[in-house]
Amino acid sequence: MSPQPSAKGTVPFGEYRTWYRTTGELGAGRPAVVAVHGGPGSTHDYLLPLARLAEQGWPVVHYDQLGNGGSTHLPGKEPEFWTVELFAAELDNLVRQLGIADNYVLYGQSWGGPLCATHAMGRPPGLRGLVVANAPASYPIWLEEMARLRSQLPPGVQETLLRHEAAGTYESQEYLAAMRVFYDRHVCRIQPWPRDFLSSFMEIYNDPTVYYTMNGPTEFHVIGSLKDWSVIDGLDAIRTPTLLISGRHDEATEAVVQPYKDRIPGARWEIFEESSHLPHLEEPDRFLDVMTDFLKSL
C-alpha cells in the first residue's frame, strides 16, 4: 500500500493546469524525487509505489502530464500542439512552481525517460540525479525491437495484429486480445494486472488524445509523431549521476537502453531478471533497494 499524500493540487502552466501530489515534506533536506510517467498520455497512477521512498526520507512528487488525469484535458487540440517541447516546458514549470528547482531527482519511466534525459541535457544546477527506467533512447530503434519481439509471439497472433493494423480496426476485440498477449509478456507479467497499472491503462482510453497523437494505438505500433524521435545525439551532454533500469523481459529491450549506457558518463544499469516493463510493480522490494542505494550515493 502506498503512503498517503501530504498534499494535492494544481499549478498553473500558461493558461492550463498541471495536477500534482506530494508525499513527504518538500524542501526538508533530501532532494525531491519527481516521478515522470510514460505514454505520452498515461497518468501517475501506475507509479504510485514510488511514494514508498518518502518513508525512507526522500519526498516524492507525482504529476499528470497535460491532457490526462487530473491535469487540463484538451481533446480538441490540433496534433501539432502536442510536442516534446510542450512536455519539457511543463516539467520545467512544475519543478519551479513547487519550489524544488534547487534540489531534485528525476525518475522518468518509459516515454518519461527520454523526456527527463532531454531536461538533463540542459544541465540544470539543482538536478541531483537522473533515473531512466524502461525507456527508449530512440524510437526508430524501439520500432526495430518491437518488430523482433512481435515475430516471437505465438502463431497467429502477429498475423491478427497485422491484419487489424492494416485495416485500422484497433478497437476490435480480436485485436485487443492479440495485443494483450504482447502486453502480458513485455509490459506487465503480473496476473491479474495490479490496480494502479490498470488505472493508468484505463485513463489512456478515457481520453486517448495525447497517446494516439504522439505514440499510436499500442505500445508496439508507434505511428504517431514520436516515431522518428531520438535523444541519442544529446546524451553526451548529461553530467548528472544516472541510474538505468530495465527488465529482462521488457519491451524496452537492451538494444533501446544501450545508448544511455554508452553515452552518459558513469551511468549505472540495473536489469531486473523477473520483470518486464514495470519492475517497480513486478519486483517491488528489489526495486526499492536499488532506488534507495542510488539516492544514498548522490
Side-chain angles (χ1 to χ4, degrees):
M1 194 73 171
S2 301
Q4 291 300 303
S6 310
K8 293 182 180 180
T10 63
V11 298
F13 174 47
E15 59 188 294
Y16 312 117
R17 308 290 300 187
T18 299
W19 180 94
Y20 73 91
R21 58 168 267 168
T22 60
T23 310
E25 185 181 352
L26 299 182
R30 283 180 162 172
V33 178
V34 181
V36 183
H37 66 69
S42 185
T43 61
H44 76 283
D45 301 83
Y46 77 101
L47 293 178
L48 280 174
L50 269 74
R52 293 175 63 196
L53 291 168
E55 298 173 334
Q56 311 293 321
W58 287 276
V60 178
V61 176
H62 288 87
Y63 77 105
D64 288 334
Q65 293 163 25
L66 190 67
N68 292 90
S71 296
T72 305
H73 286 239
L74 298 160
K77 278 291 184 184
E78 63 281 0
E80 294 75 21
F81 175 80
W82 303 105
T83 63
V84 172
E85 292 74 20
L86 173 74
F87 291 105
E90 183 185 32
L91 175 56
D92 292 346
N93 178 71
L94 178 76
V95 169
R96 291 195 308 272
Q97 291 277 354
L98 294 179
I100 57 174
D102 61 345
N103 195 26
Y104 64 105
V105 171
L106 290 182
Y107 177 94
Q109 202 276 338
S110 199
W111 132 265
L115 181 62
C116 289
T118 299
H119 180 93
M121 289 172 197
R123 300 188 189 178
L127 181 61
R128 307 297 178 208
L130 172 66
V131 183
V132 176
N134 321 99
S138 158
Y139 278 86
I141 297 176
W142 174 275
L143 284 168
E144 291 172 3
E145 287 298 284
M146 292 305 102
R148 183 177 66 81
L149 293 177
R150 287 173 57 149
S151 73
Q152 298 170 0
L153 293 172
V157 175
Q158 171 73 324
E159 184 276 330
T160 299
L161 292 172
L162 290 171
R163 177 160 41 85
H164 285 286
E165 286 162 3
T169 48
Y170 306 119
E171 305 296 328
S172 141
Q173 288 303 310
E174 189 181 34
Y175 184 77
L176 294 173
M179 176 194 84
R180 182 67 188 254
V181 175
F182 181 96
Y183 277 49
D184 287 345
R185 282 188 174 201
H186 299 299
V187 179
C188 184
R189 293 166 67 84
I190 302 170
Q191 299 296 330
W193 282 354
R195 184 183 64 182
D196 291 337
F197 174 56
L198 201 54
S199 295
S200 284
F201 188 80
M202 295 310 296
E203 284 277 4
I204 290 175
Y205 290 98
N206 287 339
D207 184 351
T209 304
V210 182
Y211 190 74
Y212 281 9
T213 300
M214 295 185 71
N215 186 83
T218 66
E219 295 292 283
F220 51 79
H221 190 51
V222 180
I223 55 175
S225 58
L226 288 181
K227 67 182 186 299
D228 299 316
W229 186 49
S230 171
V231 296
I232 292 176
D233 289 346
L235 294 176
D236 296 315
I238 296 176
R239 291 295 180 269
T240 308
T242 300
L243 170 66
L244 309 174
I245 288 174
S246 63
R248 182 62 69 191
H249 310 282
D250 207 330
E251 61 177 351
T253 63
E254 292 183 36
V256 305
V257 178
Q258 189 67 47
Y260 291 110
K261 177 64 174 170
D262 293 341
R263 297 284 192 117
I264 300 175
R268 164 186 160 193
W269 189 355
E270 294 284 345
I271 297 176
F272 288 71
E273 295 296 333
E274 305 302 320
S275 294
S276 55
H277 199 51
L278 306 168
H280 66 281
L281 296 176
E282 296 167 290
E283 295 180 67
D285 292 336
R286 182 174 173 232
F287 174 83
L288 190 64
D289 288 344
V290 167
M291 281 294 295
T292 53
D293 181 61
F294 174 69
L295 291 169
K296 287 175 181 176
S297 74
L298 300 177

